[in-house]
Amino acid sequence: MVNIKELQASIGETPILKGLNLEIKPGEVHAIMGPNGSGKSTLASVLAGREDYEVTGGAVDFEGQDLLEMDATERARSGLFLAFQYPVEIPGVSNINFMRAAVNGKREHDGLEPIKGKDFLNLVKEKASLVELDGRLRNRSVNEGFSGGEKKRNEIFQMAMLEPRFAVLDETDSGLDIDALRIVANGVNAMRSPDRSFLVITHYQRLLDYIVPDFVHVLVDGKIVLSGDKDLALKLEEKGYDWIKEDVIA
Amino acid sequence: MTGTAEPIVMDLKRAPNVHAATQAKGEALRAALAAQRTGTGLAAEQLDALPVPHRRVERWKHTPVAGFWSTPEAPSVQTIEAAGSEACPVPGLHAYRMVFVNGTFDAKASDLPVHNGVRCEPISMSDADAGSQGPLESTDWFAALNQAFATEGMKLHVAKGVILDRPLLVHHHTSGENNANFMRHDIHIEANAQVELIHWSTASDSSTGMVNIMTHMSVESGAVVALDKVQDEAGSLQHLAFEQINQAQSSQVRVHTGTIQGNWVRNDLNFRLNGEGCETVLNGFFLPKGKEFVDNHTTVDHRAAHCNSSEQYQGILYGTSSGVFNGKVFVRPHAQQTNAYQQNGNILVTDKATINAKPELEIYADDVKCSHGCTIGQFDEEALFYARSRGIGEKEAKAMLVHAFIGDVLEGFAVAEVRMEVEHRLAIKHGWDTWNDTLESA
């Protein structure tokens, strides 16, 4: 589904990703862990098409298409979704109108008519219940005045509405208490399917208790230096990252 | 009240260091007008005493005036039919209508209100002499020019307690070159009457010259007035609009000014709150693009206690356009318990667009609540990326942010059809596909 080859990216003059390789097959859940500043969020941003980063080398294949050739809108319409680490507040734009524009953008891409108002509201109702997002939040401005947990639940709600083929969750667990974490993880798990893949970026193993990954990768200094199964996450939780720097890289 | 400066007289009292060329041009314009027109003869003396505005006069500091003046010509067309335009610019609007074309009343295109207690007629057909409009209230040269040469306009009188059943649209259309169109609207709303007014200005693509519209409105106690003012003029006109609105006790006035299109627009909107318990709302938006220029000068003069005024002007400036916002709030010494709010937000879309924004609060009472805020910024890039990452196209995302930015102002327009047509016209001008209709009510 997603094949990342020798990906290099910089912000300004500073190289962040330095030849990253990763292949994700349909239905797989991959987790990326790593110390601060290793390039985890840069990877998420580059995949989603944020223009602040310059891709200086490598390639990303997304279902047979050259992902790096597409702009952010096209990527989303083609089935890529990024759950933001810091969801953006947009005062004056209601959550529900925002989502309808997003859903209709995707439908236009798929050659479908805009969704009917009633069908859309039914869809909202169904997907909102997945993350226990109440009606009050649906009608408010996008993320404005939402608590940290509400913002993250809103991200998963949006993901559920758009039904992406490939979802990148960028530190979705940051700022969540246990209850919110469980709700968010349940929402993600409900969406797992044989033709949908996830890339879960996290600092902590805790999230992976709820969203159990097929593979865990360790990102250090812009490269994946170690891969394993879910037990690797436990080992990292216990021993930290220093041993990797010493044993694996050295 | 003694010892307090008059808010709109202040500039005059300065000895201006006149720019000779501007002065000469202004005088030439006036002489040309005097030679070819029979003015009302009013205000000639006042006009003599007034300086032609130029950039060293504070109220005209950022407003280039001299570039447009040329030799005025008699209007080429005098009916909306001859101008090839629509009598009503708002589809589906069920309203009374007064149509003026190049400063001339077009009776055929108009639909005057027939209503007990409502007198509405063009000045040219009014028994009352045009000179009965009272003393000159503005000390601006352009206003005096209007007073000297305006021979047409609307006279509206709504008697005590009358509620006009439909909005009243005043449509002013300009067509042809080297115009000098002066309009004067005198509006008198008696106690407890209620009326919705729409002032809509249009112009043909090739129109040039000056459009100068003055509105005097006297709103008596307990009366309720809404004025939706829309400027959507093609061509390259110099559009000057002055409104002087005097409110008596417990009256309510809401004015919404939307500048959709206009080569050069100057709005002077002035309120005097003369009685206690007045409610005043003045909101506006301007979205100039290309080389357009839009200037909003407002004055809210709190002369009595217990009045509320609320002001919000939102500007989004594209291309090499420029804008001015100057909002003066004046609170007189015994206007205690005044509640005055002012907000002005601006987005500069390009690095070549300009805004000169200036809130001016002069407060001489000690038990008041006055607040003001002014922002100048860019489109929120994070919000744009967020929307795009959800599959929303860049254009649509920007339209969404625009709608959010001016949404409060748009919502305030009194007549729904006006609001919808404003949105439609904006979408055409800026190439947005559609505005998102709202689902909240579904």
Side-chain angles (χ1 to χ4, degrees):
Chain A
M1 173 159 303
V2 182
N3 198 350
I4 303 171
K5 282 184 188 155
E6 287 298 322
L7 184 63
Q8 296 172 41
S10 310
I11 187 158
E13 295 291 298
T14 316
I16 313 268
L17 300 182
K18 300 171 181 172
L20 186 145
N21 291 290
L22 181 63
E23 188 182 359
I24 301 172
K25 295 202 170 75
E28 290 179 353
V29 175
H30 290 241
I32 288 198
M33 304 182 74
N36 288 328
S38 59
K40 299 189 299 295
S41 284
T42 297
L43 176 61
S45 292
V46 167
L47 290 176
R50 191 187 282 274
E51 281 131 10
D52 303 344
Y53 296 89
E54 193 191 347
V55 175
T56 51
V60 180
D61 179 281
F62 176 46
E63 301 207 292
Q65 291 176 283
D66 183 351
L67 187 77
L68 301 177
E69 279 299 303
M70 300 188 232
D71 71 17
T73 303
E74 289 174 78
R75 293 181 197 199
R77 290 179 176 184
S78 303
L80 183 143
F81 183 88
L82 170 64
F84 280 51
Q85 182 179 2
Y86 304 108
V88 181
E89 299 188 5
I90 314 182
V93 176
S94 80
N95 220 4
I96 201 159
N97 277 342
F98 183 75
M99 277 325 290
R100 193 163 68 146
V103 166
N104 281 337
K106 187 163 190 298
R107 289 176 67 91
E108 189 189 321
H109 177 266
D110 296 342
L112 298 170
E113 291 286 302
I115 192 166
K116 289 196 175 68
K118 197 175 168 224
D119 295 342
F120 177 73
L121 291 175
N122 285 335
L123 188 68
V124 166
K125 211 169 173 184
E126 178 198 330
K127 301 299 185 186
S129 66
L130 207 64
V131 284
E132 301 170 31
L133 194 72
D134 70 35
R136 190 175 51 86
L137 297 183
R138 289 178 233 155
N139 289 328
R140 286 234 303 261
S141 289
V142 177
N143 290 322
E144 193 185 32
F146 286 29
S147 71
E150 286 167 344
K151 282 181 181 170
K152 295 302 174 77
R153 272 150 62 186
N154 196 27
E155 292 295 285
I156 304 305
F157 162 69
Q158 293 181 9
M159 179 170 80
M161 288 292 293
L162 294 170
E163 300 188 319
R165 304 265 291 137
F166 174 49
V168 180
L169 312 183
D170 187 10
E171 305 210 12
T172 295
D173 51 335
S174 70
L176 292 189
D177 61 31
I178 290 290
D179 291 332
L181 186 67
R182 196 182 302 120
I183 292 169
V184 163
N186 286 345
V188 173
N189 287 331
M191 289 192 66
R192 286 178 78 155
S193 86
D195 56 2
R196 181 174 293 132
S197 310
F198 290 88
L199 182 62
V200 180
I201 293 170
T202 181
H203 256 296
Y204 303 105
Q205 188 272 336
R206 193 180 63 165
L207 177 67
L208 305 179
D209 284 342
Y210 297 95
I211 303 173
V212 181
D214 300 303
F215 300 95
V216 174
H217 309 278
V218 181
L219 187 64
V220 176
D221 195 24
K223 283 181 180 179
I224 288 176
V225 295
L226 188 64
S227 298
D229 61 12
K230 61 180 179 356
D231 294 337
L232 176 58
L234 291 169
K235 191 171 173 186
L236 291 170
E237 183 81 357
E238 187 189 329
K239 297 174 71 174
Y241 294 107
D242 287 346
W243 65 276
I244 296 176
K245 289 178 186 165
E246 284 156 22
D247 297 4
V248 182
I249 301 174
Chain B
M1 206 174 296
T2 48
T4 307
E6 290 286 322
I8 38 185
V9 176
M10 287 176 31
D11 300 326
L12 177 64
K13 288 183 175 166
R14 250 174 242 172
N17 181 0
V18 174
H19 285 186
T22 307
Q23 181 77 29
K25 271 181 130 177
E27 277 163 8
L29 175 73
R30 184 190 159 195
L33 284 167
Q36 65 175 228
R37 299 191 187 192
T38 339
T40 58
L42 272 178
E45 276 175 33
Q46 285 103 316
L47 200 49
D48 280 340
L50 292 172
V52 178
H54 56 83
R55 316 261 320 229
R56 287 201 205 159
V57 176
E58 186 65 21
R59 284 179 70 80
W60 295 87
K61 190 174 177 182
H62 303 290
T63 311
V65 289
F68 295 88
W69 303 344
S70 55
T71 315
E73 289 172 18
S76 49
V77 291
Q78 301 190 329
T79 64
I80 203 87
E81 199 178 355
S85 191
E86 297 287 329
C88 179
V90 185
L93 179 68
H94 188 53
Y96 298 113
R97 192 166 67 232
M98 282 198 101
V99 179
F100 296 93
V101 176
N102 290 333
T104 304
F105 178 63
D106 183 347
K108 200 178 150 198
S110 298
D111 177 12
L112 299 185
V114 181
H115 197 290
N116 276 342
V118 176
R119 222 175 64 227
C120 175
E121 56 204 0
I123 286 176
S124 58
M125 290 161 76
S126 169
D127 295 340
D129 147 33
S132 67
Q133 55 206 353
L136 186 61
E137 290 197 53
S138 172
T139 54
D140 185 278
W141 185 81
F142 282 107
L145 202 64
N146 180 295
Q147 193 118 359
F149 292 106
T151 51
E152 189 55 294
M154 175 178 72
K155 263 189 139 30
L156 173 66
H157 186 104
V158 180
K160 198 171 169 183
V162 170
I163 298 172
L164 194 58
D165 58 340
R166 289 191 238 159
L168 170 58
L169 165 73
V170 180
H171 177 198
H172 187 264
H173 182 76
T174 303
S175 171
E177 294 179 0
N178 296 320
N179 284 286
N181 299 338
F182 298 96
M183 304 279 298
R184 156 102 190 195
H185 304 311
D186 284 307
I187 298 167
H188 185 180
I189 313 296
E190 286 191 3
N192 301 319
Q194 293 187 20
V195 58
E196 286 179 345
L197 301 169
I198 303 159
H199 283 190
W200 196 294
S201 302
T202 58
S204 65
D205 290 341
S206 58
S207 56
T208 65
M210 178 196 289
V211 173
N212 183 322
I213 302 174
M214 178 180 279
T215 304
H216 271 216
M217 196 190 295
S218 162
V219 183
E220 292 189 6
S221 65
V224 180
V225 178
L227 169 60
D228 290 352
K229 194 178 139 190
V230 178
Q231 296 161 326
D232 186 19
E233 291 177 324
S236 40
L237 291 169
Q238 182 183 27
H239 182 116
L240 298 120
F242 301 83
E243 277 104 17
Q244 177 65 51
I245 298 172
N246 296 335
Q247 287 186 244
Q249 187 185 336
S250 303
S251 61
Q252 298 175 31
V253 179
R254 302 168 58 84
V255 177
H256 284 72
T257 305
T259 306
I260 296 170
Q261 185 178 209
N263 175 56
W264 188 104
V265 177
R266 162 73 176 235
N267 292 309
D268 261 273
L269 175 58
N270 304 297
F271 286 89
R272 268 184 212 152
L273 315 186
N274 293 320
E276 294 195 357
C278 291
E279 296 281 338
T280 302
V281 175
L282 59 159
N283 295 337
F285 71 79
F286 46 103
L287 280 77
K289 70 182 223 183
K291 291 178 181 167
E292 290 177 338
F293 170 82
V294 183
D295 176 349
N296 281 291
H297 267 66
T298 65
T299 304
V300 181
D301 185 1
H302 282 265
R303 295 176 167 219
H306 302 286
C307 294
N308 297 329
S309 69
S310 172
E311 174 170 20
Q312 187 182 15
Y313 273 75
Q314 300 288 89
I316 304 177
L317 297 103
Y318 297 84
T320 54
S321 68
S322 51
V324 177
F325 172 78
N326 187 300
K328 192 173 276 188
V329 176
F330 218 72
V331 182
R332 304 273 175 164
H334 56 236
Q336 299 295 1
Q337 303 276 314
T338 287
N339 197 344
Y341 169 82
Q342 182 189 91
Q343 173 64 36
N344 167 231
N346 302 286
I347 290 178
L348 297 176
V349 180
T350 70
D351 55 9
K352 295 208 169 98
T354 314
I355 180 78
N356 283 289
K358 187 173 165 198
E360 283 185 78
L361 278 69
E362 293 188 37
I363 300 164
Y364 300 96
D366 55 10
D367 182 16
V368 300
K369 207 167 117 190
C370 297
S371 61
H372 72 94
C374 180
T375 62
I376 299 172
Q378 281 90 42
F379 270 123
D380 182 348
E381 290 295 330
E382 274 299 299
L384 273 181
F385 177 67
Y386 189 65
R388 291 173 62 216
S389 80
R390 298 305 181 242
I392 299 170
E394 186 162 7
K395 258 190 168 178
E396 192 177 1
K398 277 191 175 163
M400 225 176 216
L401 294 185
V402 169
H403 205 176
F405 192 69
I406 64 171
D408 287 346
V409 175
L410 279 173
E411 286 299 308
F413 277 80
V415 181
E417 290 86 354
V418 168
R419 186 167 63 235
M420 282 161 62
E421 182 60 11
V422 163
E423 296 190 351
H424 179 63
R425 299 293 307 164
L426 283 173
I428 290 173
K429 178 182 179 185
H430 294 278
W432 304 321
D433 295 340
T434 48
W435 291 81
N436 267 309
D437 50 331
T438 177
L439 266 176
E440 275 97 0
S441 54

